[in-house]
Amino acid sequence: MDNAKLLEAIIINAIDGIITIDSRGLVESINPAALALFGYRTEEVVGQNIRMLMPEPDRGKHDSYIQNYERTGHGKIIGIGREVLGRRKDGTTFPFRLAVNEVFYKNRKIFTGFIHDLSREKAAEDQLRQHVMGLEEKVRDRTKDLISLVSQLEEAKQEVSMSLEKEKELNQLKSRFVSMASHEFRTPLSSVQLSASLIDKYMQKPDYEAVAKHTTRIKGSVQLLNTILNDFLSLEKLEAGVVRVEKRLVNLVQLAEEITEEMQLICKKNQLIVYQHTGSEGSFPLDPHLLKNSIINLISNAIKYSGEDTYIEFSTEINAHQCVVTVKDNGIGIPQEEQQSLFEPFFRAHNTGSIPGTGLGLNIVKRYVELMDGTLMYWSKLHHGASFSMTFSENNT
């Protein structure tokens, strides 16, 4: 196949539209992809002025564009990646990205236009934008409900006395809060997070800066609210005594690698989770659900209470019928005088400041570890980080 036939085959089979015009704006050739986009037959377009494929105002101004370019060498003719509207035979319009090159061929000048249809992409962008706006409104409404319920809970805590009747009323209020949060927040929050992830895939142009800000805001809100909900739901199940331990042989290395990959996505700037396993064995009999929740809680704390540009050390060890899981950070640390209250529900050290949290995470982790017949040990020093180790013995399983 000679070069001319090869070039012709490429143009005919191109996915994008290709149109050539002369210096007067008359169409010399148009490939099948372009014909399909505009809804014409070849004989209806070739020899006609290219403006027939344009809506106003470009339709009426295109000849002047060519004249201006011929005179000055500048203007709207030559360009890479301009977004314009095309006009179909039936009068409807559609968006496309246009790139135009000037080509000298057989002692004359022609213009070649490359057309990439943006209809589906624009429709998807509009649909996602509307979806996100709707979901943001839902989040705002649910957040108002959450604030109202939390306010009620705080008022009830202040009014409760040592009597069993008052304590019962507080537990009932907490149960209503957990029930509402579980049913009213989980589904919309999951939808928001999915939509935010999809939006990232469509951010290909600079005008997506505003959408990117909405995406970041949604992700942050979803992460915080999901953490709060999960803590309250876990506490409710523990208090009700419905948490059941189902131990089975867990591939600890595989589980740890999955958690590391998942948690790395929510790390701060230049935070890095470094995972290491020690021991010839990689599996150990544990409850995978309780273990995963415990590890995620500890790593979440390490991310939250450590700064940017820091390492989080995550390790597992299986040795002599014993399994040890350790998470160590270089964060703000826990004041020595407050460490005795570390595992109490709703406890938060005074140096946490405005860092969000429920004060339930470590209490839940400790109870999960004990349910699996393990022990939870810790070390911490103010401004020097913290280390938490979960130890399990195989003969206790």
Side-chain angles (χ1 to χ4, degrees):
M1 180 180 291
D2 59 32
N3 290 339
K5 290 183 178 180
L6 175 60
L7 180 60
E8 180 181 5
I10 291 173
I11 293 174
I12 290 175
N13 292 281
I15 297 175
D16 288 339
I18 302 175
I19 301 177
T20 61
I21 65 174
D22 62 18
S23 59
R24 296 173 297 167
L26 301 182
V27 178
E28 292 194 350
S29 67
I30 180 169
N31 75 338
L35 290 170
L37 286 174
F38 289 94
Y40 284 98
R41 299 189 304 275
T42 303
E43 58 270 22
E44 294 177 304
V45 181
V46 173
Q48 302 297 319
N49 194 292
I50 190 67
R51 63 173 175 261
M52 70 179 290
L53 305 180
M54 303 174 183
E56 295 296 350
D58 289 337
R59 185 183 183 91
K61 297 180 178 180
H62 189 265
D63 287 348
S64 66
Y65 295 161
I66 295 179
Q67 294 169 6
N68 183 58
Y69 179 76
E70 290 287 334
R71 185 174 66 256
T72 67
H74 301 284
K76 293 188 176 182
I77 295 300
I78 304 300
I80 299 176
R82 286 194 297 125
E83 283 192 18
V84 296
L85 288 177
R87 184 177 183 274
R88 301 187 183 93
K89 183 178 180 179
D90 61 9
T92 60
T93 61
F94 67 99
F96 64 87
R97 185 176 292 112
L98 173 66
V100 179
N101 290 329
E102 183 180 17
V103 180
F104 291 90
Y105 179 68
K106 293 184 177 179
N107 297 322
R108 65 191 188 92
K109 179 169 53 181
I110 61 174
F111 299 99
T112 304
F114 299 88
I115 300 167
H116 177 70
D117 185 17
L118 298 175
S119 300
R120 291 185 178 179
E121 181 178 330
K122 292 294 185 182
E125 291 171 2
D126 291 341
Q127 184 178 4
L128 281 170
R129 189 176 294 108
Q130 293 298 320
H131 189 47
V132 169
M133 291 173 62
L135 289 172
E136 281 193 299
E137 184 64 31
K138 286 185 179 180
V139 170
R140 284 194 292 269
D141 292 341
R142 296 301 189 271
T143 302
K144 290 178 182 178
D145 293 340
L146 176 61
I147 293 173
S148 176
L149 277 168
V150 170
S151 177
Q152 294 177 39
L153 182 59
E154 289 297 325
E155 291 175 4
K157 285 172 62 178
Q158 293 173 7
E159 295 173 359
V160 73
S161 67
M162 296 300 294
S163 69
L164 292 177
E165 187 62 29
K166 289 293 183 180
E167 185 175 353
K168 182 179 179 181
E169 290 176 3
L170 177 60
N171 287 333
Q172 289 175 345
L173 179 59
K174 183 182 68 176
S175 296
R176 288 198 299 271
F177 167 75
V178 172
S179 177
M180 188 284 298
S182 175
H183 294 289
E184 296 297 323
F185 280 77
R186 188 171 297 277
T187 298
L189 286 177
S190 297
S191 298
V192 169
Q193 196 156 32
L194 175 60
S195 295
S197 298
L198 289 174
I199 289 174
D200 287 338
K201 296 181 180 179
Y202 288 91
M203 289 173 52
Q204 299 177 354
K205 300 188 308 175
D207 60 344
Y208 270 90
E209 184 176 354
V211 178
K213 291 181 180 178
H214 285 300
T215 301
T216 302
R217 186 180 300 117
I218 290 173
K219 286 182 177 179
S221 298
V222 169
Q223 184 64 35
L224 175 59
L225 290 174
N226 265 330
T227 300
I228 294 173
L229 292 177
N230 288 334
D231 284 351
F232 272 94
L233 290 170
S234 298
L235 180 64
E236 177 67 15
K237 291 179 180 179
L238 285 166
E239 293 292 343
V242 297
V243 178
R244 296 289 180 266
V245 179
E246 298 181 4
K247 292 185 180 180
R248 64 173 183 265
L249 197 62
V250 177
N251 187 325
L252 190 60
V253 176
Q254 179 180 338
L255 178 64
E257 289 176 344
E258 291 174 355
I259 293 174
T260 300
E261 183 178 0
E262 177 183 340
M263 299 304 291
Q264 186 64 56
L265 297 176
I266 64 171
C267 281
K268 297 175 184 175
K269 181 180 179 181
N270 294 329
Q271 271 189 340
L272 183 63
I273 302 173
V274 181
Y275 170 67
Q276 180 177 341
H277 176 74
T278 303
S280 58
E281 294 294 329
S283 298
F284 200 85
L286 290 165
D287 184 308
H289 177 70
L290 299 186
L291 179 63
K292 181 176 181 179
N293 283 347
S294 298
I295 295 173
I296 288 177
N297 206 311
L298 293 178
I299 295 180
S300 294
N301 281 348
I303 293 172
K304 186 162 53 175
Y305 297 119
S306 299
E308 299 177 352
D309 305 300
T310 57
Y311 286 93
I312 296 168
E313 298 175 44
F314 172 30
S315 65
T316 55
E317 179 179 356
I318 299 176
N319 196 329
H321 306 291
Q322 191 176 66
C323 171
V324 181
V325 180
T326 302
V327 176
K328 183 179 183 300
D329 65 64
N330 297 289
I332 62 176
I334 306 161
Q336 182 67 37
E337 65 275 13
E338 297 186 19
Q339 292 184 13
Q340 60 183 3
S341 304
L342 190 58
F343 299 106
E344 293 178 5
F346 302 104
F347 168 77
R348 303 201 72 211
H350 76 272
N351 63 327
T352 56
S354 61
I355 300 174
T358 62
L360 294 173
L362 290 178
N363 175 267
I364 293 169
V365 171
K366 187 174 188 296
R367 294 170 74 171
Y368 277 174
V369 170
E370 290 174 349
L371 282 172
M372 290 185 286
D373 301 313
T375 57
L376 177 62
M377 303 294 291
Y378 72 93
W379 172 92
S380 184
K381 186 177 180 181
L382 194 62
H383 307 307
H384 288 79
S387 174
F388 291 84
S389 293
M390 300 179 289
T391 303
F392 308 95
S393 298
E394 191 170 7
N395 57 5
N396 288 334
T397 61

